[in-house]
Amino acid sequence: MRIFEFHQSTHQSTTLGRMKGLGIDGFHELPLLFPRKYQDVRRQHVSTDFSKLQHRLGEKVFIGCKLVGQPLVKFDAVKKLSTTDFTISDRHGFYVNCRLFGGSRDFITKLKARPVFCLQVTVDDFRGNLQFKSINWVDMKWVGRIMPIYPGKTKYISPDTVREKMLDMMDMAIPQCLDYLHKQFFIKTQDDEIRLLKSVGSNQKTLLDLIKQLHLPPTIEQGEMAQTIWRRLAAKYLLDTAEKSIAQKTVKKSAIDISNALLQQVISEMPSKYRLTYDQEVATRDIIDDIRSARPMNRLLSGDVGTGKSIPISIAAAAIARAGKNAVILMPNESLAEQLRRDIAEWWPDTDPKLVGGSIKGLPDSRILVGTTALNHRIKKDYLVDLLIIDEQHKHSSAQRLKLARRYTNVLEASATPIPMIMGRVKFTGMEISVLREAYIDKTIHTHLTEGNPEDKQGMFMHIRDIVAQGSQALIIYPLADTKDEEKEKKSAEKAFSAWEKFFPGRVRFMHGRLKTENKLASIDALKKGDADILCSTTAVEVGLNIPKLRALVIVNADRLGLNQIHQLRGRLARNGGEGHCYLYTPDPISDKARDRLKFLEQCNDGFEIAEQDMRMRGFGELHKNSDTQTGWDETFLPNQSITIEDVDWFLSQNPTDEPAMTY
């Protein structure tokens, strides 16, 4: 199976050697190594007339030439630098003097060995005379062809050496590669191969033809198209594999009998002020239907602050307890866990939910356990977790979220802004989702991108002063580039406090990560009681912060925070309805990419849409079930290639009906 038929290998290596430094783990991966780029060395692009290069100064070109005389090597003992001077001419006898710096023994040997040779040079001019710089040798066997330029590794293996290795080892590697691909894509016949290639938009008939097109394309455009087709194949493999890992197999133990009468009784016992919205009714029904099924639930509940995610969560937990089974609810912190536990206990006293956290010793006896990650350490393997609910799932790693999940466990994850990996699973692998958009109160949040010019800064300050004068309150967030530096974090909050205190004496409080919990709570309580108007804080502000009169938020250096984090912070505004104002303040110049990201927040207040945009910007991590990579791009069978959102989007554009339906 030869694709480089013009190359006669004198030695075929049986080991990968330094190719392993490029991420090549086996010979079967060699044919899948992408060229970094292609260079057109077809004869019409090789100049043998130097006089025509005078108008191409600064360009990289290929030249056909011959050596005139003998190269002269000099060594400067002071500078400890060797130089090689030599002269070349074109077919018309036009001479150009050239100079190489550094070690050039191999280069000189090649010059002397061939009467005519090809070089890649940068055209330059010195005092009116043509000059060539950045001189590189081009093997004559590539003249007349498209030459692949492979990746290299500095001071380890050069791109030219990689290309020679590819030439030497490709014939041996291709059969192993094809066997590997046939197993990955379950190819048994030629028709299977044709169907696979057709599904990714390729007009090639075999994978071997596609390998040839990748490494020895007739044109640069066809080489780039081959890379696109291979990326689509990798994306198809990724999606197929992820779907299989996400798909839940039937587990009889997972099905829990919750009758309609039991469910309606649970709902009827809730306080009248918590009348279910239509979205909550639909979400609750879908969650209970999943629990009744023999396929373990794997559902995302998405809803912004104020849409009442805790209602379907609480109903599901109470119904499970009434059915004689166990529900475990993982919360981001102990105060929120206690708040939810208290609500469930008030609405359904007989369920007797218990708190599990750092301040509570041991594991209480209850059908409903609500707590922090302490649950992961207290619950033993013999404890039956029939329903696992993870609230604010973006606050936990995959290991923390799913440590308690057994084969039969029904899993419900909830978040206003799901992490990119979960969004990827929803969009591309069919993970079930319920979205809450109806809110109990009407509120409008206005977001303003305020860059560092004095007029806009003054306008922002005057607006905040007016809001405070009307009896409302403001939160000022000072994130840091390195939030792990607690000392810098402390100084940042204290400096901000001093600045705002000058304008609002006695009415400013501050908090940062190094403050004790009681001091943080004291600062928040001062605002709740009306003893303060402004809170200066780092991102130590907890999820669930509830200051009813908070109507202004300033995030300094907002470009340092992610979309989801900003949306979570502005969700603290206008908790009782009305209007709120969020200022994204960037005192220093920001990039166009950062500006576009923040402008998106000016236009969008929907947490689900923001989470999807965040996924597109940061990557969806790895989509398979057991992955803990929550952002970035998924790696597949292509060495050094990650699959991006654009690669998988192609499948959605070809099969729009395959996009998972969402429950609203």
Side-chain angles (χ1 to χ4, degrees):
M1 294 184 183
R2 302 199 65 196
I3 64 170
F4 297 119
E5 296 182 357
F6 57 87
H7 173 72
Q8 297 298 322
S9 177
T10 57
H11 171 70
Q12 192 172 80
S13 176
T14 57
T15 62
L16 290 169
R18 295 199 171 193
M19 295 293 282
K20 290 183 178 180
L22 301 178
I24 304 294
D25 295 324
F27 279 96
H28 69 282
E29 292 184 343
L30 280 174
L32 303 176
L33 179 67
F34 279 19
R36 182 168 49 84
K37 61 180 179 178
Y38 300 93
Q39 289 184 337
D40 195 338
V41 201
R42 288 176 294 179
R43 294 189 185 278
Q44 65 267 35
H45 296 285
V46 179
S47 177
T48 56
D49 186 348
F50 293 170
S51 65
K52 294 182 179 179
L53 300 178
Q54 298 281 5
H55 66 286
R56 299 182 66 181
L57 297 181
E59 292 185 33
K60 281 189 174 183
V61 299
F62 292 101
I63 57 172
C65 52
K66 61 182 180 180
L67 181 68
V68 178
Q70 292 296 315
L72 178 63
V73 180
K74 298 179 181 179
F75 181 76
D76 188 324
V78 177
K79 295 182 179 179
K80 296 183 179 180
L81 177 68
S82 64
T83 58
T84 302
D85 293 322
F86 61 97
T87 303
I88 57 176
S89 73
D90 65 7
R91 59 189 173 92
H92 300 296
F94 188 119
Y95 294 97
V96 174
N97 295 318
C98 302
R99 172 169 288 180
L100 288 177
F101 294 92
S104 55
R105 183 183 301 173
D106 291 344
F107 192 91
I108 294 172
T109 302
K110 291 176 181 177
L111 287 179
K112 292 180 176 180
R114 294 169 175 79
V116 178
F117 46 85
C118 181
L119 301 176
Q120 185 188 41
V121 301
T122 299
V123 183
D124 199 6
D125 177 90
F126 181 70
R127 296 179 180 177
N129 296 316
L130 189 66
Q131 185 181 53
F132 296 142
K133 298 169 64 177
S134 303
I135 302 169
N136 291 292
W137 181 266
V138 178
D139 198 315
M140 284 297 291
K141 62 173 163 273
W142 288 105
V143 175
R145 309 178 191 277
I146 301 297
M147 181 171 67
I149 307 297
Y150 295 97
K153 195 170 184 179
T154 305
K155 296 183 179 180
Y156 188 77
I157 185 169
S158 70
D160 289 345
T161 302
V162 172
R163 184 168 54 244
E164 289 301 310
K165 291 282 188 182
M166 293 291 284
L167 289 173
D168 287 340
M169 296 189 288
M170 189 68 82
D171 293 343
M172 178 177 64
I174 284 178
Q176 297 182 41
C177 178
L178 292 176
D179 286 345
Y180 170 79
L181 292 172
H182 288 168
K183 290 176 182 177
Q184 299 303 310
F185 288 102
F186 303 100
I187 294 172
K188 295 183 178 180
T189 67
Q190 180 63 40
D191 287 342
D192 291 341
E193 202 162 326
I194 292 173
R195 277 192 295 270
L196 173 65
L197 290 166
K198 188 176 180 180
S199 73
V200 291
S202 174
N203 57 9
Q204 298 288 8
K205 300 299 182 184
T206 67
L207 289 169
L208 177 60
D209 291 336
L210 191 59
I211 291 174
K212 289 180 180 179
Q213 186 181 346
L214 177 67
H215 298 282
L216 195 63
T219 66
I220 289 177
E221 291 73 22
Q222 290 190 47
E224 292 171 345
M225 186 61 202
Q227 293 195 16
T228 298
I229 296 299
W230 278 110
R231 292 177 68 85
R232 290 176 185 173
L233 278 170
K236 176 178 173 58
Y237 175 77
L238 163 70
L239 294 177
D240 290 348
T241 304
E243 278 190 42
K244 289 175 183 175
S245 75
I246 297 297
Q248 300 290 66
K249 296 181 180 179
T250 299
V251 181
K252 187 176 180 181
K253 193 175 179 179
S254 176
I256 298 172
D257 184 17
I258 298 176
S259 66
N260 287 333
L262 188 156
L263 177 61
Q264 291 305 316
Q265 181 63 32
V266 168
I267 294 173
S268 68
E269 293 174 13
M270 292 184 63
S272 58
K273 67 176 181 178
Y274 292 113
R275 177 188 56 82
L276 268 62
T277 65
Y278 175 75
D279 288 349
Q280 289 172 333
E281 287 182 2
V282 174
T284 300
R285 181 192 66 210
D286 290 340
I287 291 168
I288 296 301
D289 284 346
D290 284 353
I291 292 172
R292 290 166 173 164
S293 167
R295 292 184 181 276
M297 174 168 59
N298 181 28
R299 179 175 290 274
L300 171 67
L301 176 63
S302 176
D304 276 318
V305 174
T307 57
K309 293 189 302 298
S310 63
I311 301 300
I313 287 174
S314 300
I315 291 173
I320 283 282
R322 291 266 178 95
K325 301 296 183 179
N326 298 327
V328 175
I329 307 176
L330 179 62
M331 303 292 289
N333 59 59
E334 195 167 319
S335 60
L336 290 179
E338 172 55 21
Q339 181 179 312
L340 181 63
R341 186 210 65 79
R342 196 184 309 121
D343 287 342
I344 295 174
E346 179 184 335
W347 300 341
W348 304 285
D350 60 295
T351 62
D352 192 26
K354 299 294 185 182
L355 179 68
V356 178
S359 64
I360 309 294
K361 293 184 179 181
L363 186 70
D365 182 18
S366 175
R367 289 288 185 189
I368 301 178
L369 298 177
V370 188
T372 64
T373 51
L375 288 162
N376 291 337
H377 310 292
R378 308 276 178 83
I379 292 179
K380 304 304 179 185
K381 289 185 177 180
D382 58 351
Y383 185 91
L384 299 179
V385 182
D386 300 295
L387 172 63
L388 175 61
I389 300 173
I390 302 105
D391 194 22
E392 302 295 351
Q393 51 90 230
H394 59 278
K395 288 286 182 179
H396 307 285
S397 69
S398 291
Q400 288 175 326
R401 294 199 315 273
L402 301 177
K403 185 175 181 179
L404 297 176
R406 324 296 193 215
R407 282 185 63 249
Y408 58 85
T409 300
N410 293 285
V411 178
L412 175 65
E413 302 193 49
S415 178
T417 49
I419 57 175
M421 179 178 66
I422 296 298
M423 285 301 300
R425 290 178 182 174
V426 167
K427 192 165 181 63
F428 302 123
T429 70
M431 181 179 179
E432 300 290 345
I433 179 171
S434 298
V435 181
L436 306 180
R437 285 200 163 95
E438 293 178 82
Y440 281 102
I441 49 95
D442 292 326
K443 72 173 182 177
T444 303
I445 306 301
H446 305 281
T447 302
H448 318 275
L449 174 57
T450 305
E451 299 194 48
N453 64 76
E455 294 82 8
D456 287 349
K457 179 181 178 182
Q458 182 65 17
M460 175 185 71
F461 178 80
M462 297 296 288
H463 190 200
I464 291 170
R465 190 183 65 176
D466 291 342
I467 289 174
V468 171
Q470 293 168 12
S472 295
Q473 296 168 325
L475 171 63
I476 319 296
I477 297 291
Y478 284 82
L480 296 166
D482 181 8
T483 55
K484 293 180 180 178
D485 190 327
E486 292 185 346
E487 186 59 35
K488 285 184 179 180
E489 181 180 281
K490 175 177 178 289
K491 290 179 179 178
S492 175
E494 291 175 348
K495 184 178 179 181
F497 168 77
S498 299
W500 286 91
E501 178 72 13
K502 291 178 183 178
F503 298 99
F504 302 91
R507 306 295 297 175
V508 183
R509 300 291 186 273
F510 74 93
M511 57 186 284
H512 52 74
R514 298 188 71 178
L515 278 180
K516 293 181 179 179
T517 300
E518 55 265 31
N519 293 333
K520 291 181 186 178
L521 294 176
S523 293
I524 294 172
D525 286 342
L527 270 76
K528 288 184 176 181
K529 293 175 181 178
D531 295 335
D533 300 317
I534 293 177
L535 175 63
C536 294
S537 175
T538 60
T539 47
V541 174
E542 295 279 358
V543 172
L545 173 71
N546 187 2
I547 302 175
K549 294 168 66 177
L550 190 64
R551 293 196 178 277
L553 168 66
V554 178
I555 303 177
V556 182
N557 295 317
D559 54 301
R560 296 178 182 174
L561 298 184
L563 295 182
N564 285 353
Q565 194 171 10
I566 292 174
H567 186 63
Q568 285 281 339
L569 287 167
R570 71 179 176 182
R572 306 303 115 204
L573 293 172
R575 293 295 294 264
N576 291 338
E579 292 192 351
H581 293 268
C582 173
Y583 283 93
L584 307 177
Y585 178 50
T586 56
D588 302 316
I590 60 175
S591 66
D592 290 340
K593 184 177 181 181
R595 184 176 295 106
D596 290 343
R597 192 166 57 88
L598 296 177
K599 279 187 173 294
F600 177 79
L601 287 170
E602 279 190 308
Q603 302 159 8
C604 183
N605 274 313
D606 187 299
F608 188 77
E609 291 182 24
I610 289 169
E612 181 171 346
Q613 181 71 4
D614 191 49
M615 173 193 70
R616 290 183 173 277
M617 290 181 169
R618 296 168 61 201
F620 46 64
E622 295 183 2
L623 298 179
H624 60 82
K625 186 175 182 180
N626 295 321
S627 172
D628 199 28
T629 305
Q630 301 185 6
T631 60
W633 303 111
D634 208 329
E635 296 185 358
T636 63
F637 57 77
L638 299 175
N640 295 327
Q641 295 293 319
S642 298
I643 301 307
T644 68
I645 199 79
E646 289 76 20
D647 299 316
V648 272
D649 266 347
W650 185 85
F651 287 97
L652 294 183
S653 67
Q654 300 301 305
N655 304 285
T657 56
D658 288 347
E659 192 167 353
M662 289 177 286
T663 302
Y664 296 100

